[in-house]
Amino acid sequence: MVLIRWLGHAAFIIGVDEATILIDPWITNPLSPYRSVDSFAKDYKSVDYIIVTHDHGDHVGEAAELLSKFKSSRIVAVFELAEELAKKVGAIERSIPVNIGGRVRLEKNLEVVFTPAFHSSSKGAPTGVVIFSKNKSLYHAGDTGVFGDMKLIAELYRPYVALLPIGGHFTMGIEEAVKAVELIRPRMAIPMHYNTFNAVFTDPQLFAKLVKERVPEVEVRILNPGQYLEI
Ligand code: ZN
């Protein structure tokens, strides 16, 4: 069982048997149910892993503050970014630096592999990430345009769920995200990175409609911020 909770923008909490994982922890984004790390900490006593896909502010979010608050949390990110964030809070021993293309085991039944993302970043390469739990894998695309090697991600990792940006401007818009669904062919697609601020306003229902027309075997689930989904 995998528990997925969207906090708005690209922030997700993923619960698997052995760990709780927070991805792109801008937990105080305008759609999020949380306005501070303290309010978040009332619901979550610990987070085992904080994954950051790249160093833009709307993805790093409150990573440093969370690492300071949760003393057992570890930061998992591309080498340069993981080291920088861990050093910032004086916790280099809690850094798990990774890079694109190599599977990394975090727990007995929990592995991650970082994927390319076509985007920009100041510290290290921008990435997406595939998380493998006992029997389901989940692909968080990070911030990216659509690219042909999403097909390779599909062939290698067969993600059950794909979390895809649809907001346009800085990432794929709806047309491109539908193409991404065609390339990845997950069982389920969840749109993200939209309606957080003006540049990324869009209609997720249109994404769902186009996927239904063009790739009907893929189910689109539009989550409300704060909503849980069990798969
Ligand atoms: Zn970005």
Side-chain angles (χ1 to χ4, degrees):
M1 192 270 284
V2 179
L3 190 62
I4 298 171
R5 188 179 185 212
W6 187 45
L7 296 181
H9 209 58
F12 285 86
I13 302 175
I14 309 298
V16 295
D17 286 353
E18 292 173 328
T20 303
I21 304 153
L22 179 55
I23 309 175
D24 282 353
W26 187 23
I27 58 168
T28 62
N29 75 74
L31 302 180
S32 171
Y34 302 108
R35 298 272 51 91
S36 68
V37 167
D38 283 346
S39 64
F40 178 83
K42 284 188 183 126
D43 285 353
Y44 294 91
K45 301 294 167 233
S46 81
V47 169
D48 299 297
Y49 301 98
I50 297 172
I51 291 176
V52 180
T53 60
H54 65 292
D55 74 352
H56 289 161
D58 56 327
H59 295 258
V60 173
E62 284 75 42
E65 223 182 307
L66 287 158
L67 284 168
S68 298
K69 181 97 185 167
F70 299 127
K71 300 291 183 205
S72 61
S73 292
R74 281 170 283 177
I75 174 80
V76 191
V78 78
F79 188 92
E80 292 80 1
L81 179 57
E83 297 286 284
E84 182 185 72
L85 283 168
K87 271 184 201 150
K88 200 170 169 183
V89 296
I92 198 67
E93 73 286 356
R94 289 194 275 136
S95 167
I96 302 179
V98 300
N99 222 314
I100 290 169
R103 276 171 88 126
V104 176
R105 173 163 288 182
L106 299 177
E107 304 282 345
K108 187 161 173 269
N109 290 310
L110 178 64
E111 293 184 351
V112 291
V113 65
F114 280 61
T115 64
F118 279 73
H119 195 62
S120 67
S121 175
S122 310
K123 278 271 169 190
T127 63
V129 62
V130 182
I131 297 172
F132 304 89
S133 67
K134 222 182 237 165
N135 43 31
K136 292 205 172 76
S137 60
L138 175 148
Y139 170 45
H140 183 297
D143 272 5
T144 188
V146 66
F147 54 95
D149 279 352
M150 283 178 170
K151 200 155 185 273
L152 197 57
I153 293 171
E155 286 172 13
L156 275 168
Y157 307 130
R158 308 208 174 283
Y160 186 95
V161 188
L163 314 176
L164 301 171
I166 65 161
H169 194 121
F170 299 112
T171 68
M172 299 188 276
I174 284 173
E175 268 301 318
E176 295 81 10
V178 174
K179 176 51 75 178
V181 171
E182 282 183 43
L183 293 168
I184 302 161
R185 291 185 186 266
R187 293 277 289 279
M188 187 183 288
I190 297 174
M192 64 167 177
H193 211 280
Y194 66 93
N195 292 359
T196 331
F197 42 79
N198 280 337
V200 299
F201 267 92
T202 196
D203 178 9
Q205 298 294 347
L206 178 60
F207 171 69
K209 179 174 172 281
L210 293 177
V211 170
K212 202 170 181 184
E213 281 170 19
R214 294 182 204 167
V215 209
E217 68 271 29
V218 178
E219 181 190 359
V220 171
R221 292 296 292 261
I222 298 169
L223 301 184
N224 295 315
Q227 189 183 338
Y228 294 88
L229 174 68
E230 197 179 309
I231 59 165

